[in-house]
Amino acid sequence: MSTSFSPIPKPPIDKFEVTPNLNYDTDLDGFDWQTIMDELDWLPGGGLNKAHEAIDRHALNPETANKLAMIWEGKNGEREDYTFADMKEQSDKFANVLKSLGIELGDRVFIFMERVPELYFAFFGILKAGAVAGPLFSAFGPDPVKDRMEDAGAKILVTQPDLRRKVTEIIPHLPELQHIIVVNKDNRDPEPLDAQDLSYEVEMAKASAEFQITNTSQNDYSIMHYTSGTTGKPKGAIHRHHAVIQQYSTGKWALDFHPDDLYWCTADPGWVTGTSYGMIAPWTNGVTQLIYEGGFRASYWYELIQKYKVTVWYTAPTAIRMLMKAGDELPKKYDFSSLRFAASVGEPLNPEAVVWGKDVLGHVFHDNWWQTETGAILCANYASSEIRPGSMGRPIPGVELAILDEDFKPVGPGQDGNLAVRPGWPSMFQHYWQKTDMYNSRFKRGWYITGDTANVDKDGYFWFVGRADDVINTAGHLVGPFEVESALIEHEAVAEAGVIGKPDPIAMELVKAFVSLKEGFEPSEKLRRDIMRFVRSKMAAAVAPREIEFIDSLPKTRSGKIMRRLLKARELGLPEGDTSTLEDD
Ligand code: AMP
């Protein structure tokens, strides 16, 4: 919790170019979620739908209908602009397509796409139709797509030709899947369709541009994101339309959205940040968003900020560390004067990175904390308050965070423990899809246990310490070691595998696998590379092992469980025999 960096005080409020939406130190007395609920529009019958709050309410208001909602830049430099009225029209059409295919309230519709505008139209069309959107990371290989869609019983998949081809082999294993809708953006693909698929363009051309949003209640499910744990396959954390209350309000408080902002969120919609803060939060606040289809390139990211005059930027620590690595000379070539607020999430943000932001971009990065299950930011450094570099800030209004000991009782300032949240925050997940026991196991003595360890200082700032489980955080992606081990042992040469997170200066952790081979196979560089390629093609390069080490046998508990913590202790060179905290059953 201690840091050698001094707190960065904020100037008085009247020195800001815009007044921050929340003055954390004075505005919290008498806070009531009802005030926020009253700022939303709600459906005519009193229901709630995220698509109405994010899109239609602005499209139906003559003052904002023609305001730009999305500025899209494709990976080949193409540009398309969409107003809120355009977004309404396209998502209404897609909702009609879904209805014509028999989609009903609560059906799961999955999206497996690059960041093209049609992803966003489909997403809001799904919500309008009353279905549940399941966005998938486009870099996934066939295994993660199959695991998620099979578990969720997805009825429709919306995808693109190259991604469709990538998952061909899994389609026969998805008995509940009824249709595949293929978006052939700008006719990029000469052979887009398999005979059984539907063309997005053909279906949209037939669809009416008027749709009456399904009268969802605030408790109806809206979005599911799969997240990894220590054991088993990923679990589908499912959220209600009710979550919009907190996604909207944290957009105002933690990202300090103002109506004239040009906002850029670098997260992919396959992960929760890309939906909560890449769609719902900015658009419920009526903000114009830049969506960039391409990947990371330091010089081009700087250019995007300059070119589009980005005012609010939400990115991730790994990206910031990669920018730092690209050197301090490069950013001097760009003009960042438009930038007003920068924030970061997903991994610990080292104090050096916070301060680097101030030196190089003219803005510190405001770290904030949350997770898939929380649905929205729960802890943040605010525009109005002092920043403590290395801290993830203070709880958002209306949310109680605590540090608990092993008996789930609160501990005092400065002591490490389990980071926990008092249940009942508006964007709280409602379930792990069809895994009730696992969902219930996250709640103890009246608290939701986050799985992170942290501490809190005497002024109420929270400091991240680590994960309480074996889950690996590589470049902001949570990776369950079990998933990677399962993929590894499908390789013909692999007898057993144990997977850990190995510390890395840029990505925080790299996935490292220890592998023992079957009789008849010998360790070699060629085999190592072959196993790596095998896992990468099944899963995704981003979450596959970067390192594989062959060992004769893996350390196990008496009941045969692989002792990942012992592997990690050895990797880190911890003293021999330091196994007192290792699991043993
Ligand atoms: P996910 O559910 O994939 O969004 O990952 C959530 C996890 O990422 C958290 O439980 C933390 O372990 C980590 N995380 C998110 N934000 C931060 C942060 N600001 N500082 C440290 N770790 C973070």
Side-chain angles (χ1 to χ4, degrees), residues 345-348 367-372 452 464 467 473 478:
V345 73
E347 314 150 56
D367 187 21
N368 54 59
W369 177 94
W370 61 293
Q371 54 180 197
T372 304
D452 287 350
F464 182 82
R467 291 283 309 186
N473 188 332
L478 290 197

